[in-house]
Amino acid sequence: MGMRILGWGTALPDKIVTNHDLEKTLDTSDKWIVERTGIRERRIGDSTGELAIAAGRRALQRANVDASSIELTILATTTPDQTVPATSAHVHEALALGGGAFDLNAACSGFVYGLVTANALLDAGAKRILLIGAETLSRITDWSDRNTAVLFGDGGGALVLERVAGEGQLLASDLGIDGTARSFLQSDIGAKIKMDGREIFKRAVRAMVKSSEQTLKSAKVRANEVKLVVPHQANIRIIHAACDRLGIAQDRAAIVLDRTGNTSSASIPLALVDAIDKGRLADGDLVLLTGFGAGMTWGSALIRWQEPTSK
Ligand code: COA
């Protein structure tokens, strides 16, 4: 058994914080941020639960399925609203979902971890799963630290996934973690993010390339057959370096970070849905999702795109 994608949705807070806004409080410039990261603005506000609920509601509407038919909700987040209970409990109640729900924390690789987990649970017998990535990184960002404050933002994205006979849309995947690198990006409970940007940069490119290559190899697919790469949206230079090393043209990457900044586990669904909305995908196209994050985690998944209506 495999999975098919039935619907999708995203949510962003209303408040836009531009690089020029940050210039007023930090020793930084729009020029530096754009050149070094590709980010122009980010959205700030709401709670993780609110963003997850809004994205999940849109995905259910797009899928045209009843919320009670969802048998499991997986919320990938590194910024839950409370330590206990899981933020997915709020989402489950607000959307009147069926079945169980849990949060998953694999930092910025969380959505890919969630997709691979959902696929396995569908294969094991679940019928319908709501997968969400939602974050309010602004709450754990030190707004006086120019090394990190320019990078992060808030947002959410969701997919409704359904069990299907046969291979389904997820063709291959790769998940990994190197716990020896966990000090390079961390936030203690109640504290703000601390990061060694240069170290993360190097390791991020390496991890995305290796994990993508492993995934393509498992699926027996060549890099030039990939129609769209949906990378974690951390830094445009990381994305371009990874594309170059993989031999995939840079313009095949889905990009939203200029408008969203790094939204951790929300970044891949935000970029995927943006590409769908722009009509960048047709039936049969191969889509490579690839991300990295604190841990350091990494994860890649190869999907064969299928318009839900054409099934
Ligand atoms: N504005 C202006 N100058 C800044 C700045 C800012 N916001 N942030 C750092 N600088 C300065 C540094 O202090 C340094 O100055 P110095 O040379 O006088 O010491 C200079 O710019 C270069 O710093 P460096 O860290 O080498 O810059 P960089 O090109 O590596 O870019 C990051 C910094 C953080 C943008 C980049 O390393 C990065 O994106 N790393 C990955 C981070 C990431 O992805 N995190 C999330 C993982 S999920």
Side-chain angles (χ1 to χ4, degrees):
M1 305 300 284
M3 63 148 224
R4 66 168 170 159
I5 299 170
L6 279 189
W8 49 85
T10 59
L12 289 169
D14 291 335
K15 186 178 174 191
I16 298 173
V17 176
T18 66
N19 292 346
H20 294 292
D21 293 328
L22 295 178
E23 281 175 349
K24 292 174 196 153
T25 52
L26 288 171
D27 180 16
T28 190
S29 65
D30 174 58
K31 185 170 178 292
W32 191 96
I33 302 169
V34 172
E35 280 177 10
R36 308 309 293 164
T37 73
I39 298 165
R40 293 179 184 277
E41 60 187 41
R42 68 286 295 144
R43 301 293 188 97
I44 303 294
D46 300 334
S47 68
T48 295
E50 285 165 337
L51 291 167
I53 290 162
R57 182 174 285 123
R58 287 184 187 127
L60 290 167
Q61 280 164 355
R62 180 68 181 73
N64 197 22
V65 298
D66 201 272
S68 63
S69 73
I70 298 292
E71 291 183 356
L72 185 69
T73 296
I74 304 174
L75 172 58
T77 186
T78 200
T79 48
D81 291 331
Q82 295 174 278
T83 305
V84 174
T87 304
S88 52
H90 181 195
V91 179
H92 190 276
E93 184 261 337
L95 294 178
L97 297 161
F102 67 93
D103 286 8
L104 178 161
N105 180 355
C108 305
S109 313
F111 198 81
V112 178
Y113 267 69
L115 190 69
V116 174
T117 304
N119 189 66
L121 290 168
L122 291 165
D123 185 36
K127 191 163 167 284
R128 246 174 225 162
I129 294 182
L130 177 61
L131 171 63
I132 308 175
E135 303 279 4
T136 43
L137 287 171
S138 63
R139 289 188 296 116
I140 59 165
T141 299
D142 177 353
W143 290 100
S144 64
D145 173 16
R146 71 175 182 174
N147 291 303
T148 51
V150 301
L151 301 178
F152 300 112
D154 303 337
L159 294 179
V160 175
L161 306 168
E162 186 173 71
R163 175 181 164 95
V164 66
E167 184 184 40
Q169 285 177 251
L170 183 69
L171 306 186
S173 62
D174 172 67
L175 301 178
I177 186 163
D178 174 8
T180 66
R182 63 190 190 278
S183 65
F184 296 128
L185 177 53
Q186 57 180 325
S187 163
D188 287 330
I189 289 171
K192 308 292 184 197
I193 297 173
K194 286 192 201 133
M195 183 187 77
D196 180 339
R198 280 183 212 181
E199 194 60 41
I200 295 279
F201 192 111
K202 273 190 296 186
R203 288 168 181 263
V205 176
R206 256 185 263 146
M208 285 213 292
V209 170
K210 205 169 157 217
S211 177
S212 296
E213 284 174 346
Q214 181 57 48
T215 303
L216 294 175
K217 195 173 155 208
S218 303
K220 298 190 175 58
V221 162
R222 288 191 306 275
N224 63 6
E225 294 176 80
V226 172
K227 178 73 191 302
L228 186 77
V229 185
V230 186
H232 171 46
Q233 309 282 306
N235 185 318
I236 194 74
R237 292 187 296 133
I238 293 177
I239 294 171
H240 285 165
C243 284
D244 291 351
R245 289 194 200 177
L246 283 166
I248 298 176
Q250 291 179 2
D251 64 5
R252 294 206 173 182
I255 304 294
V256 291
L257 63 79
D258 51 326
R259 289 159 279 153
T260 63
N262 178 348
T263 56
S264 193
S265 33
S267 87
I268 285 181
L270 280 167
L272 175 64
V273 173
D274 186 69
I276 298 169
D277 289 346
K278 286 185 171 141
R280 292 184 71 180
L281 289 176
D283 274 0
D285 284 350
L286 292 173
V287 183
L288 176 65
L289 315 184
T290 183
F292 64 92
M296 278 189 68
T297 56
W298 57 86
S300 302
L302 188 71
I303 287 173
R304 189 183 299 285
W305 183 251
Q306 201 78 56
E307 276 299 318
T309 47
S310 66
K311 279 254 175 177

